[in-house]
Amino acid sequence: MAEKQFVTQIADINENFAQWYTDVVLKTELVDYGPVKGTMVIRPYGYAIWENIQKDLDARFKKTGAKNAYFPLLIPMSFFTKEAEHVEGFAPEVAVVTHAGGAKLEEPLAIRPTSETVIGTMYAKWIQSYRDLPVIMNQWCNVMRWEKTTRPFLRTSEFLWQEGHTVHASEEEAVEETLLMLNVYREFMEDTLALPVFCGKKTEKEKFAGAVATYGLEAMMLDGKSLQSGTSHYLGQNFAKAFDIKFLDKDSKLKHGYTTSWGVSTRLIGALIMAHGDQRGLVLPPKVAPIQVIIVPIAAHKGGVIEKAKEIENALTSMGIRAETDVRDMSPGWKFNEWEMKGVPLRIEIGPRDIENNQVMVMRRDNLEKVTASIDGVDKTISELLETVQKDLYTKSKANRDKKIVEADSLDGILQGVENKNFVKAGWCGCRECEDKVKEYASATARVMCDEEGIPEKCAICGKPATHKVIFARAY
Amino acid sequence: MAEKQFVTQIADINENFAQWYTDVVLKTELVDYGPVKGTMVIRPYGYAIWENIQKDLDARFKKTGAKNAYFPLLIPMSFFTKEAEHVEGFAPEVAVVTHAGGAKLEEPLAIRPTSETVIGTMYAKWIQSYRDLPVIMNQWCNVMRWEKTTRPFLRTSEFLWQEGHTVHASEEEAVEETLLMLNVYREFMEDTLALPVFCGKKTEKEKFAGAVATYGLEAMMLDGKSLQSGTSHYLGQNFAKAFDIKFLDKDSKLKHGYTTSWGVSTRLIGALIMAHGDQRGLVLPPKVAPIQVIIVPIAAHKGGVIEKAKEIENALTSMGIRAETDVRDMSPGWKFNEWEMKGVPLRIEIGPRDIENNQVMVMRRDNLEKVTASIDGVDKTISELLETVQKDLYTKSKANRDKKIVEADSLDGILQGVENKNFVKAGWCGCRECEDKVKEYASATARVMCDEEGIPEKCAICGKPATHKVIFARAY
């Protein structure tokens, strides 16, 4: 028996969170570095999480009436210049194809960093009448943004995402769509990823290049930093005018449409890791875990153990639970460590004595609690436990986050707050200078506005009357 | 009521098949031309077919043990030169990124035309021991091959596909995998796309650049031309040696692995259209049709008609049937034409008199037959009819194809065969010159070899002893 010693070698989560993250994503085989600097390879264990995310979100999109489509990867560079803010925002990050088929191209082509321009061009061609509206399409695809500093899932030159693009006859309807999708994302984050999020409008500085308004979802990571987990943009008529998306309205007048776009990416996998993980490695919410239950036979060479384990596996998989039996030629202890590192929500241990007693041992990865369960009805027990784990993860995340929200009424207060790994709520006068000062002084940015909580009297930075309440945080 | 006249304007399928195809794909809104020459936009109706294809195939792949992953889009140009035949085959078609992030790149990067090189590089890093084998991964992604002449779905610079890449410890196992996946494709083509295919080994001339052997699936289109619908390659140790994929075997010796790759693409949608369509437009097999049943209310303004239609829709959708009720403000005749053009397998017509008689009219798109069905149990009737249509489509396709297979023992015979829109089976001596002569003289190519049927005595081209039996055809 070729027994390898299990050596985790994961950096200390409290001392060096960045290294802990890198260790975890590489050692659990979620991801690897691609040959080209700044690219990643999503390995099967990581991609299976993405497939679960896709399946869940896709159903939510379709429920709102969205249909999937696919638009070209390559966009003529000239398209970007049609919307002034958009080109300014994206041109510096674009990867450019200059040669193809052995010849130089007449016009250089950008690899899409986002698809407003090419989709807008097609919408202009397809939309004629108010009868054609609303148009609600989504695409799952790869995009490319050339970044200087990269980290797997969080920031890579190429990443996978979905981008929804819609056109509406009125401003009201388009704003409604923007907020509807923001809410779809929020529900998904909470229900499926077990992650509480702050949803709100972004400041002018932080909004999408070309948007009238951007709404973001901000999740707190274990190190108190914020991770923007999704965005929903109200684009007004900016892109409709730039790309000539017009329709003949009921009143026989030709009008520009109102557009929105919204997206989430493989960043969500980074969010999961950094919000739920611990020193042993990943802690995956059951709803997205590639393996929900790992069954480890004890004294597997003894007659009947593997058979019973497989029997339980079959009972679980027939209920739609993603269960596997680890029959590899390794010691149970080695397997325990590996599957804990890989964040499998539940572990079932079954040995000859358990079988005698008609029971199994079940361990929860989230709190490391062990319970015994009768083999009769183990499928029901496990099914309920998975739901409990999913809920508890959310509750725990929310409690942890809520403890780390402070208020501040000065620049020093903001600095101190973020230094102590908190989100800091503060009044803000609305001016760019104050926002820049926070960045300079505290290395923090305005994540979202939460005016609905009540606007403080004064701007924490300049002391002038506040017009907004803002969540400041350091961010990924 | 804004009644538009339904004008199909589809070119004659017998007179101008190429134009018929273009008309059908554009008018049914499967696809549109992208802004960059040679690119396509897959519209929701077309993309929904691709989603159905993906879901079906993906389950078949996973059943064989394949896991999905995602590898980078951009590949250093130098990777291609590592396998001599491979670079020769793909370099002329590659699109090249030379600039990114506002600066010139040190090394130009290719947009993947296929991913053997980048996946091989990663496999070399991941695989150490025989315990790591086999590796069976698949990715769903976009690829780019710069083509001079393009047609939607059939040949575009960018297209969507899946590419499986496997590594095995022995030649036997790798060859077995190659043939297993060929068979997975064949079953999918027959069961799901209702398309009979010839499966077999390709000639040296027609094989994949870098393969030891390529196996292809060839389907006959309505014009007698062949469409290569999928390929499975046995790559021997060519890529393992070029990319240094080595493993420590049980005998403690370091050995190169044996690799395979296999893929199908959005071309399959082209195959569907050109194999099943007719003068009215698309005829979609139920298993991949975005809408399987369209319900058209007659005299929809009359009380209770829409309600009854919706009731039937709900009964069908709750059985997992993709049914929709067309409640648009158009005449039934207009709707009939549109949904026939769009190839919806079954149409249910329901009006006040039908409701009185507790029945509906059901029309099959494939043979235009109408039957009445009792509203009681209509879900079961429809479910069975969908299965019948699926089977009948295959039977019809196979009968049509089998009528158009001829044998030839001369070059003139081959020419006459393909001129008459047939597949031509003929003996071949195995030499490249004879293959080239067929191309020159008859504009036909060797599609696959079918030696298992028995090898003719003589080569139909040169008269020397034959070593193979080949299917020659004109091809897309």
Side-chain angles (χ1 to χ4, degrees):
Chain A
M1 186 171 133
E3 178 68 342
K4 287 199 269 183
Q5 215 198 322
F6 192 92
V7 188
T8 51
Q9 295 173 306
I10 297 177
D12 190 291
I13 191 168
N14 298 309
E15 306 268 309
N16 192 346
F17 191 67
Q19 188 59 47
W20 171 86
Y21 177 79
T22 304
D23 287 349
V24 167
V25 295
L26 294 178
K27 283 174 205 295
T28 57
E29 300 187 351
L30 289 176
V31 76
D32 203 347
Y33 299 111
V36 174
K37 200 171 167 293
T39 63
M40 64 174 164
V41 176
I42 308 179
R43 301 183 70 172
Y45 197 62
Y47 198 81
I49 297 177
W50 183 237
E51 286 182 302
N52 291 333
I53 289 174
Q54 281 190 300
K55 201 175 162 193
D56 185 309
L57 266 178
D58 198 66
R60 291 175 194 260
F61 297 159
K62 283 178 176 157
K63 228 189 218 169
T64 76
K67 296 191 175 201
N68 287 335
Y70 187 78
F71 294 84
L73 174 77
L74 298 181
I75 304 176
M77 281 300 281
S78 59
F79 281 28
F80 285 90
T81 59
K82 292 192 185 179
E83 213 291 332
E85 283 184 24
H86 195 64
V87 68
E88 207 183 304
F90 284 103
E93 295 184 346
V94 154
V96 187
V97 176
T98 54
H99 293 71
K104 195 176 177 205
L105 295 172
E106 279 178 34
E107 182 181 1
L109 303 172
I111 298 182
R112 64 181 162 224
T114 179
S115 302
E116 279 75 8
T117 59
V118 63
I119 294 181
T121 303
M122 298 312 296
Y123 281 176
K125 185 176 169 188
W126 296 337
I127 295 166
Q128 263 103 46
S129 143
Y130 69 92
R131 288 166 189 277
D132 300 324
L133 299 178
V135 170
I136 304 176
M137 289 193 202
N138 173 63
Q139 75 174 350
W140 293 94
C141 66
N142 53 346
V143 284
M144 181 86 63
R145 297 177 188 178
W146 217 257
E147 304 270 6
K148 291 216 171 59
T149 323
T150 58
R151 292 178 73 187
F153 295 126
L154 302 179
R155 200 172 292 277
T156 49
S157 55
E158 182 189 10
F159 56 93
L160 303 183
W161 81 341
Q162 61 67 218
E163 48 180 325
H165 295 269
T166 73
V167 189
H168 308 265
S170 72
E171 168 157 20
E172 294 79 348
E173 220 187 274
V175 170
E176 202 179 291
E177 172 76 15
T178 311
L179 297 174
L180 171 71
M181 297 318 294
L182 184 73
N183 201 48
V184 165
Y185 288 147
R186 187 185 57 70
E187 286 180 0
F188 165 77
M189 299 285 295
E190 293 175 358
D191 299 349
T192 304
L193 303 189
L195 275 177
V197 279
F198 284 109
C199 296
K201 202 171 170 174
K202 294 257 166 192
T203 64
E204 283 297 300
K205 183 184 173 184
E206 299 288 335
K207 77 175 189 192
F208 176 75
V212 171
T214 288
Y215 296 83
L217 298 103
E218 300 285 325
M220 188 189 282
M221 303 296 102
L222 289 168
D223 61 352
K225 284 166 83 172
S226 187
L227 188 124
Q228 178 176 296
S229 310
T231 44
S232 186
H233 314 294
Y234 169 58
L235 306 171
Q237 293 185 312
N238 293 352
F239 285 87
K241 284 182 177 163
F243 293 92
D244 218 25
I245 305 172
K246 281 189 294 217
F247 67 99
L248 199 66
D249 206 353
K250 286 178 187 166
D251 59 11
S252 296
K253 284 185 184 150
L254 207 58
K255 299 175 185 174
H256 283 107
Y258 296 81
T259 70
T260 84
S261 65
W262 26 274
V264 298
S265 73
T266 35
R267 267 206 132 185
L268 290 175
I269 300 174
L272 273 186
I273 299 163
M274 292 199 297
H276 296 307
D278 64 18
Q279 190 56 51
R280 297 188 190 204
L282 298 173
V283 177
L284 296 175
K287 286 196 183 171
V288 295
I291 303 170
Q292 296 174 311
V293 181
I294 188 74
I295 304 169
V296 179
I298 314 291
H301 56 282
K302 293 259 172 84
V305 174
I306 298 272
E307 289 70 14
K308 200 72 189 172
K310 284 281 180 188
E311 213 175 272
I312 293 172
E313 178 189 327
N314 290 337
L316 296 177
T317 54
S318 72
M319 286 180 81
I321 294 170
R322 297 184 286 273
E324 283 185 19
T325 305
D326 186 348
V327 295
R328 289 176 302 171
D329 195 12
M330 302 285 187
S331 75
W334 195 93
K335 292 176 184 175
F336 293 172
N337 285 329
E338 190 187 39
W339 295 115
E340 282 173 18
M341 184 174 77
K342 289 197 147 191
V344 175
L346 296 179
R347 175 174 85 220
I348 294 179
E349 303 168 24
I350 181 167
R353 240 175 309 162
D354 298 306
I355 297 173
E356 261 171 48
N357 298 326
N358 193 40
Q359 66 177 32
V360 293
M361 181 74 87
V362 183
M363 198 201 73
R364 285 174 59 164
R365 173 64 182 90
D366 61 321
N367 59 13
L368 306 175
E369 272 176 25
K370 280 187 170 192
V371 289
T372 52
S374 166
I375 290 183
D376 305 327
V378 68
D379 48 355
K380 194 159 165 287
T381 311
I382 291 292
S383 176
E384 286 167 2
L385 252 181
L386 287 170
E387 277 182 44
T388 307
V389 170
Q390 180 78 31
K391 280 193 196 117
D392 286 1
L393 267 180
Y394 177 77
T395 309
K396 187 175 161 190
S397 284
K398 186 151 188 322
N400 281 341
R401 185 199 68 174
D402 289 349
K403 273 189 291 187
K404 290 161 73 176
I405 296 163
V406 297
E407 308 234 338
D409 55 10
S410 69
L411 198 50
D412 273 325
I414 295 174
L415 174 65
Q416 201 186 327
V418 299
E419 283 284 343
N420 290 329
K421 303 183 179 180
N422 297 302
F423 277 16
V424 183
K425 291 182 177 175
W428 174 51
C429 64
C431 86
R432 175 69 182 258
E433 288 69 31
C434 285
E435 214 178 337
D436 288 343
K437 263 189 196 154
V438 174
K439 174 80 189 167
E440 234 171 76
Y441 195 75
S443 304
T445 47
R447 303 317 304 159
V448 288
M449 297 190 273
C450 50
D451 297 353
E452 67 286 356
E453 292 185 9
I455 299 167
E457 252 182 60
K458 288 183 181 172
C459 172
I461 302 108
C462 68
K464 285 185 196 152
T467 55
H468 295 286
K469 184 170 184 178
V470 170
I471 298 175
F472 289 104
R474 290 180 179 162
Y476 281 94
Chain B
M1 185 170 133
E3 178 68 344
K4 289 198 269 183
Q5 216 199 319
F6 192 91
V7 188
T8 51
Q9 295 173 306
I10 297 177
D12 191 292
I13 192 169
N14 298 310
E15 305 268 308
N16 192 345
F17 191 66
Q19 189 59 46
W20 171 88
Y21 178 79
T22 305
D23 287 349
V24 167
V25 294
L26 295 177
K27 283 174 204 294
T28 56
E29 300 186 351
L30 290 177
V31 76
D32 203 349
Y33 300 111
V36 174
K37 199 171 167 292
T39 64
M40 64 174 165
V41 175
I42 308 179
R43 302 182 71 171
Y45 198 62
Y47 198 80
I49 297 177
W50 183 237
E51 287 183 302
N52 292 334
I53 288 174
Q54 280 191 299
K55 201 174 160 192
D56 185 310
L57 266 178
D58 198 66
R60 292 175 194 260
F61 296 159
K62 283 177 176 155
K63 227 189 222 169
T64 74
K67 297 191 174 202
N68 287 335
Y70 186 78
F71 294 84
L73 175 76
L74 298 182
I75 304 177
M77 281 301 281
S78 59
F79 280 29
F80 285 90
T81 59
K82 292 191 185 178
E83 214 290 331
E85 282 184 25
H86 196 64
V87 66
E88 206 183 306
F90 284 103
E93 295 184 348
V94 153
V96 187
V97 177
T98 54
H99 293 72
K104 194 174 177 205
L105 296 172
E106 279 178 34
E107 180 181 4
L109 303 172
I111 298 182
R112 62 180 163 224
T114 180
S115 301
E116 278 76 7
T117 60
V118 64
I119 295 180
T121 303
M122 298 312 298
Y123 280 176
K125 185 176 168 188
W126 296 337
I127 295 167
Q128 262 102 47
S129 142
Y130 70 92
R131 286 166 191 277
D132 301 324
L133 299 179
V135 170
I136 303 174
M137 288 193 202
N138 174 62
Q139 76 173 350
W140 292 94
C141 66
N142 54 345
V143 284
M144 181 85 64
R145 297 177 188 179
W146 217 257
E147 303 270 6
K148 291 215 172 62
T149 322
T150 59
R151 294 177 73 187
F153 296 125
L154 302 179
R155 199 173 293 276
T156 48
S157 56
E158 183 189 9
F159 56 92
L160 303 182
W161 81 342
Q162 60 66 220
E163 47 180 326
H165 295 269
T166 73
V167 189
H168 307 266
S170 72
E171 167 157 21
E172 294 79 345
E173 221 187 273
V175 169
E176 201 179 291
E177 172 76 16
T178 311
L179 296 175
L180 171 72
M181 297 318 294
L182 184 73
N183 200 48
V184 165
Y185 288 147
R186 186 185 57 71
E187 286 180 359
F188 165 78
M189 299 286 296
E190 292 175 358
D191 298 350
T192 304
L193 303 189
L195 274 178
V197 278
F198 284 110
C199 295
K201 202 170 174 177
K202 294 257 166 191
T203 63
E204 283 298 300
K205 182 183 175 187
E206 299 288 334
K207 77 174 188 193
F208 177 74
V212 171
T214 288
Y215 297 82
L217 298 102
E218 301 285 325
M220 188 190 282
M221 303 296 103
L222 289 166
D223 62 351
K225 283 167 82 172
S226 187
L227 189 124
Q228 179 176 296
S229 309
T231 44
S232 187
H233 313 294
Y234 169 58
L235 305 172
Q237 293 185 312
N238 293 352
F239 285 87
K241 285 184 177 162
F243 293 92
D244 216 24
I245 305 171
K246 280 189 294 215
F247 67 99
L248 199 66
D249 206 353
K250 286 179 189 166
D251 59 12
S252 296
K253 285 187 183 147
L254 206 58
K255 299 177 185 173
H256 283 107
Y258 295 81
T259 70
T260 83
S261 65
W262 27 274
V264 299
S265 74
T266 36
R267 267 207 133 185
L268 289 175
I269 301 174
L272 273 184
I273 300 163
M274 292 198 297
H276 296 307
D278 64 19
Q279 190 55 51
R280 297 186 188 204
L282 298 173
V283 176
L284 296 175
K287 288 197 182 169
V288 294
I291 303 169
Q292 295 174 309
V293 182
I294 188 73
I295 305 168
V296 179
I298 314 291
H301 56 284
K302 295 260 172 85
V305 173
I306 298 273
E307 290 71 13
K308 200 72 190 171
K310 284 281 180 188
E311 213 175 274
I312 293 172
E313 179 189 326
N314 290 337
L316 296 177
T317 53
S318 72
M319 285 180 82
I321 294 169
R322 297 185 287 274
E324 282 185 20
T325 306
D326 187 348
V327 295
R328 289 176 302 171
D329 195 11
M330 302 282 187
S331 74
W334 194 92
K335 292 176 183 174
F336 293 172
N337 284 330
E338 190 187 38
W339 296 116
E340 283 173 18
M341 184 175 76
K342 288 196 147 192
V344 175
L346 295 179
R347 175 173 87 220
I348 295 180
E349 302 168 25
I350 180 167
R353 239 176 310 164
D354 297 307
I355 297 172
E356 260 171 48
N357 298 327
N358 193 39
Q359 66 178 33
V360 293
M361 181 74 87
V362 184
M363 197 201 75
R364 285 173 60 164
R365 173 64 182 90
D366 61 321
N367 59 13
L368 307 175
E369 273 177 24
K370 282 186 169 193
V371 290
T372 53
S374 166
I375 291 184
D376 305 326
V378 69
D379 47 356
K380 193 160 166 286
T381 312
I382 292 293
S383 176
E384 287 168 0
L385 252 181
L386 286 170
E387 278 181 45
T388 307
V389 170
Q390 180 78 32
K391 281 196 196 115
D392 286 1
L393 267 180
Y394 176 76
T395 310
K396 188 175 158 189
S397 284
K398 183 149 190 326
N400 280 342
R401 185 198 69 173
D402 289 349
K403 271 190 291 187
K404 288 161 73 176
I405 296 163
V406 296
E407 309 232 339
D409 55 10
S410 68
L411 198 50
D412 272 325
I414 295 172
L415 174 64
Q416 200 185 329
V418 298
E419 283 284 342
N420 289 330
K421 305 183 178 180
N422 297 303
F423 277 17
V424 183
K425 291 183 178 173
W428 174 51
C429 63
C431 86
R432 176 70 181 259
E433 287 70 31
C434 285
E435 214 177 338
D436 288 342
K437 262 190 197 156
V438 174
K439 174 81 188 166
E440 233 172 79
Y441 195 74
S443 304
T445 47
R447 303 317 304 158
V448 287
M449 296 189 274
C450 51
D451 297 352
E452 66 284 358
E453 292 185 9
I455 300 167
E457 250 181 63
K458 288 183 182 174
C459 172
I461 303 107
C462 68
K464 284 184 196 152
T467 55
H468 296 286
K469 185 169 183 180
V470 170
I471 297 174
F472 289 104
R474 290 180 178 161
Y476 282 94

